[in-house]
Amino acid sequence: MNIYDTLVNATKNYPDKVAVSAIDNSVSYSVLNNYARSIASKLLSYGINRGTRVVLYLEDSIDMVAAIYGVNMAGLVFVPVSPQARDLKLQMVVDHSEAEIIITQRKLLGFVNTLECSKESNLKHIVILGEESGDEAIETFCT
């Protein structure tokens, strides 16, 4: 059993119960499950290998919870990075983790855009989550 299985079981047993509450929003297990599946589908559409690392550069939020489940569902490894990490620290984590994808929120995109493509970087994609982004994705980053 993995992390995602717990969400699937909770969705079957308690689909309409609140799964996650944030300051201004809450979602049920079924909504969270659908959001996680959407994230997993987007990640898998990149054709990446099982075990690929994904940096989660997100504020504590429903987005973060859904991303953890979505990354797990896709068979990938999440590397959480605090949004307080800026510039060089973020660059160091991305380079050393060999992450190919960063999942972030529009409000943090300015910090992600400071990352430099280097020989050490495997970064290829940025996925932006949140209502204000319409779950858009920037398809390529470092090539």
Side-chain angles (χ1 to χ4, degrees):
M1 180 177 265
N2 62 36
I3 293 172
Y4 185 70
D5 292 332
T6 61
L7 178 59
V8 170
N9 290 336
T11 301
K12 287 178 186 174
N13 296 323
Y14 314 104
D16 298 322
K17 290 213 178 215
V18 173
V20 181
S21 292
I23 293 171
D24 57 351
N25 197 7
S26 63
V27 295
S28 68
Y29 284 105
S30 61
V31 170
L32 181 61
N33 187 36
N34 288 338
Y35 193 12
R37 285 178 180 271
S38 167
I39 293 168
S41 177
K42 172 52 94 179
L43 296 173
L44 291 171
S45 75
Y46 294 130
I48 55 179
N49 297 323
R50 185 172 181 80
T52 296
R53 291 174 193 89
V54 178
V55 168
L56 302 183
Y57 190 60
L58 300 159
E59 293 182 344
D60 292 340
S61 61
I62 294 168
D63 291 336
M64 174 63 105
V65 176
I68 289 169
Y69 282 117
V71 168
N72 181 263
M73 179 186 180
L76 308 175
V77 177
F78 63 89
V79 180
V81 179
S82 168
Q84 277 74 37
R86 305 283 198 244
D87 303 331
L88 292 176
K89 185 172 183 179
L90 180 58
Q91 182 77 53
M92 183 183 75
V93 171
V94 168
D95 290 348
H96 290 280
S97 70
E98 299 179 349
E100 292 186 22
I101 299 171
I102 292 181
I103 298 178
T104 192
Q105 295 155 316
R106 176 147 319 275
K107 57 186 145 194
L108 298 172
L109 190 57
F111 298 106
V112 172
N113 286 335
T114 66
L115 295 174
E116 296 178 15
C117 296
S118 64
K119 292 179 201 171
E120 295 82 28
S121 180
N122 289 335
L123 190 60
K124 294 181 180 79
H125 308 282
I126 301 171
V127 176
I128 305 169
L129 300 181
E131 292 175 22
E132 72 280 358
S133 69
D135 294 333
E136 67 181 82
I138 297 172
E139 294 297 327
T140 56
F141 188 68
C142 295
T143 55

